[in-house]
Amino acid sequence: MLQTAGEVMSGPRPGPGRSAGRAAARRAGQRARTVLNQPFWERPSSDWLVRRWPDLTACLVATFFFWLSLTPSLVPRPWYFQGVIGGITAAIGYGLGALLSTLARMALPWHPGPVLRARAWLAFYLISPPLVIFLLSRSADMQRELRRLQELPPTLTWHSLMITLIALATAGALLLTARVIRLGTRTLMRLLGRFVPWPVAVALGLLLSSAIVVFGTRDVVFDRGILEIADRIAAAKDRSTDPGVLRPYSPLVSGSPDSLIAWEDLGNKGRTFTGKVLSRDEISAFTASPATEPVRVYVGRAAYDGYREGAELAVRELERTGAFDRSVLAIAGTTGTGWVNPTTVEALEYMYGGDTAVVTMQYSYLPSWASFVVDREEAGEATRALTDAVHARWEQEPEERRPKLVVFGESLAVTAIEDSFDSLDDMLARTDGALLIGPPDGSPLHRELTAGRDPGSPVWRPVHDGGRHVRFGQFPEQDLRLPPGAPWEHPRVVYLQNASDPVVWWSPRLLFQRPEWLREPLGPDVTSAVDWFPFVTFWQTTVDMAVSYGAPAPHGHRYGSNPVDAWAVIIPPAGWTAEDTSRLKHLLEERHPPRSGWAGTPE
């Protein structure tokens, strides 16, 4: 068919595919211009309860708080915990930013126009991604520096993308929860407004909503949720027996056929405590001389009803085993689960050739964090009942034949031991020494000694009364000699306390108050990049407690074989030398290698 002149002049017509592509391109361009002109969603009316688009000021503050969460704290932390910290602190920052934005809108007559708002959002979109990448890179560098200070390998897997995703998910979940509460409160106010004046409806709505959130979180989520689950898991664990633990047949330990306390009533930690007692041959292999089988008395929570009854049972068991005829009698505090550090016990047994007796009483089977919440007073009451009963029976022995009476504990057990005495003078008057390891912030005697330390001594290595009876150490060989040349009288109390131990420094006061342990000079294993920020440092230190076993001793909450050094100065046996201390530390490090993993706490 012949073409007309007009058809020849105009050329071939565009096909349907090309027209569709051009139309799509025009639509994409229009959408892009729309987004550039308004890169946010605007609610059609202020009557809408849901404000779907975030507040820019709140986003900026949230980003700033996320950056603060990337700063180092006391111990190196893995990337997944960093994501959780970042999400929590970002959510806190968002809430504060939203409050500031609301107050600004109420107080200021001027409000930014659509063009300025659009440019501000675009700038946020462009700047925030590279800024977050840079901050994550700097955070990884600071974490590597902290690892170097705490004798960890310099390598660090820092999954920046995963940190960001976890932080976004955590912050999003918290913000969604907050908005649900907000919408519920607004709805409740509207319902109440049908029956009472609006101001009264607002007050009642806020009051009822707050009560529901507070009591619901405490009673339903925490008490009937988290604590109940922890209780069931801990109860099942307490009924179990760890692999390799067998019932002892020595009449000198609890749980044996001769014992007043049944094997089944010892609990998981009690069975481990008595089932892994050192043998005479093991001790002789170290001392190269005849040894005695140690006495270990453990009263499980299932073996008694009241604390006085449990303490009396412990005394009868001590009498049955001949514990008051030994050279050393040690009263041990336990953590929430009933755990006693085997390194601390074995150090004493090796040093005295087995001529020792150790007694303790379980007051709970919950993990320490849960026990701190629900059994805080019970820990002190139980340990005081035990201490008073043992001390009263010990006093009945002729003074020249009494064994040396010492007390010791680690972590939450320090608080329990300190609660057993009215003051430092009371402890010095009733014992021949004390070893207290990793004391929590709430320990009353530790807090008193730290607050009343000699001028010029830092909070992480305080000097009390010139070191006359009490000394603190992280590196015992040098720290326990401070102050140099000062007399160290008996009885002696030793606190093993790492400057980087979050258990020692965690406190609710971190939310709003700068702690003393961040004042110059910093501890030997605390990086200079650490600093205090409201809210942020609290959550960092909280998570630090969960990973405080990730660093080797003496860093974090690990104290390794340092109890050997401590016992060697508190109650040194005759003829004990520095070489003996070194050999025993090496032996115990081989017997009890540190657990792997970030949360390898035995408590």
Side-chain angles (χ1 to χ4, degrees), residues 241-247 263 271-272 275-276:
T241 303
D242 290 343
V245 175
L246 301 176
R247 184 184 184 185
W263 174 252
R271 285 188 284 274
T272 300
K276 288 194 171 184

Side-chain angles (χ1 to χ4, degrees), residues 68-99:
L68 295 180
S69 75
L70 296 174
T71 57
S73 49
L74 288 170
V75 293
R77 52 184 177 264
W79 57 269
Y80 40 89
F81 279 118
Q82 177 57 61
V84 173
I85 294 175
I88 292 174
T89 52
I92 294 172
Y94 187 92
L96 293 175
L99 177 63

Side-chain angles (χ1 to χ4, degrees), residues 306-522:
Y307 297 138
R308 186 185 297 272
E309 176 189 344
E312 292 173 352
L313 177 59
V315 170
R316 293 200 303 272
E317 184 80 340
L318 287 172
E319 292 174 332
R320 182 192 67 79
T321 58
F324 293 99
D325 296 325
R326 295 298 174 112
S327 295
V328 176
L329 173 58
I331 302 172
T334 72
T335 61
T337 58
W339 175 79
V340 179
N341 191 338
T343 301
T344 309
V345 176
E346 292 178 6
L348 204 56
E349 293 171 340
Y350 274 115
M351 292 174 73
Y352 278 85
D355 191 19
T356 59
V358 180
V359 58
T360 190
M361 186 169 76
Q362 181 187 23
Y363 62 87
S364 174
Y365 52 74
L366 291 171
S368 286
W369 66 267
S371 183
F372 179 81
V373 174
V374 301
D375 291 334
R376 169 65 181 84
E377 295 182 357
E378 283 77 1
E381 291 175 6
T383 308
R384 181 161 197 140
L386 176 65
T387 302
D388 289 346
V390 173
H391 182 267
R393 175 60 183 82
W394 173 81
E395 279 192 316
Q396 296 176 14
E397 295 292 315
E399 189 171 351
E400 67 277 4
R401 291 178 48 195
R402 292 174 186 167
K404 296 177 181 178
L405 182 62
V406 294
V407 294
F408 69 92
E410 181 168 339
S411 195
L412 186 60
V414 174
T415 306
I417 288 291
E418 291 187 356
D419 283 341
S420 302
F421 300 93
D422 296 329
S423 63
L424 174 63
D425 291 337
D426 185 35
M427 178 182 287
L428 296 175
R430 298 173 63 196
T431 71
D432 292 297
L435 173 55
L436 305 170
I437 305 171
D441 176 79
S443 304
L445 182 55
H446 174 265
R447 182 183 297 176
E448 178 184 335
L449 294 174
T450 303
R453 66 188 183 277
D454 294 351
S457 60
V459 69
W460 45 268
R461 195 72 69 246
V463 175
H464 176 76
D465 192 22
R468 191 160 64 95
H469 284 287
V470 183
R471 298 197 179 182
F472 295 75
Q474 177 173 355
F475 304 97
E477 291 185 3
Q478 61 189 48
D479 293 339
L480 297 183
R481 297 173 182 171
L482 300 176
W488 195 359
E489 302 175 10
H490 291 277
R492 293 176 174 178
V493 177
V494 170
Y495 281 92
L496 293 180
Q497 172 178 296
N498 296 338
S500 58
D501 188 350
V503 174
V504 175
W505 308 122
W506 183 90
S507 167
R509 297 189 301 275
L510 288 173
L511 282 166
F512 307 107
Q513 181 179 337
R514 183 182 181 86
E516 288 189 277
W517 50 269
L518 280 178
R519 294 179 181 174
E520 296 289 346
L522 297 175

